[in-house]
Structure formats: C-alpha cells, structure tokens
Amino acid sequence: MLLFKRAAKNGNHSVFLISSYLLMVFSFVVLYSAFPGVIMAEKPEAADYNAKTIEVILQREYLDGEISEERVEETIWSVEDFWALYEDWQLIDQNEDQIVFRMALNDISPLLKINGYFGLSEDGTLSIYNGRPDANEVIQSFFQVNTSRLKSHHYESLKDGIPVSSKDDYLEVLKTYEKYAIREL
C-alpha cells in the first residue's frame, strides 16, 4: 500500500495504475482458487442438482375425439417448478422415464378444420368424415338419423357433405340434426 501512496504523491500515474491492476488480478486469483465457480459463473452439472431428464408426452384432446401428441424432453431441476409448468394438464401416466399429460381443449381438431365433413353413413348415422362422405373415412359417429323426417335440402346437404371449419360449425350441425335422432326406448 505504501508503494501506491508514493506513486500517487510523485505523480507517477503509470506505476500507480499498473500496481493497482496487479493487485486486482492477484486478488481475483486468490478468490477464484478459494471459491471456484463463485467468481466465474459455471454451467451447473446435472449431477450437482440431481437433475433428471425425462420424456414428456403432451396429449391434446379435441371435441371431435381426436387426440394429438407432442413429445418433448424435459430436464427436471426442481420438482416444484416442473409440476408448476404443467399445472393446467391432467396427469395420465408416469414412470421413471416418461410422464403423460392430457388437456381437453374446447375446440375441434386441426384435421377436422382442414378436411372434416359431416355426412350420413349407409345405415343413417350422422358421422364426421376425413374428406367428403363418399370417401367413407369416418372420424367420429354420433347418432342414427330418422331420414324419413329430414327435409330434402338437409338430406342432400348430408349426402354431399357439410364442411366443418370451426367449432361453431361443428356445434351448429349437431344441434340441427339432433332433433332428427332416432331415440331407442
């Protein structure tokens, strides 16, 4: 410290700056050797925190019955944080390597929005098809329709296929044709 005071009094600023720099470096080296990882931020190792990497399967269930899956790998650093991240999901299954969550969405599936059509199967069941009804690719079936009670334009619409591009379309068609459903006693 005496060296610094003399250098400052004599006006020799370069010696003062160099001495200050050397003291700072020396202090840093001493601190770093005593507390490694505190001075320099180190990336935490998984073993340091007992972290675990697992596969998370996120299932989204739509009104039309379609279930989509997304698979992600999650590294769990904190169990509380992990569960908080998925608090809006329902736990379906879990084991040591995998957790399955499901969420019911109040919407129709993207597949249905793109290529879904309502129509009648050969036995008169109201169904949703992937594509027009003549393709016979049923996605979901609902109820049998009394076709003798249907107005001709309703019957023709179902034969041609009624496109479903939104949740509102989906609900409207179900509501319209529900009154023609055959109710068994």
Side-chain angles (χ1 to χ4, degrees), residues 123-126 142-146 180-184:
D123 69 350
T125 301
L126 180 68
F142 297 96
F143 46 80
Q144 208 166 11
V145 174
N146 184 344
Y180 300 107
I182 296 175
R183 310 261 186 238
E184 294 189 29

Side-chain angles (χ1 to χ4, degrees), residues 24-35:
M24 189 173 66
V25 169
F26 177 75
S27 300
F28 180 78
V29 170
V30 169
L31 282 174
Y32 180 74
S33 62
F35 304 104

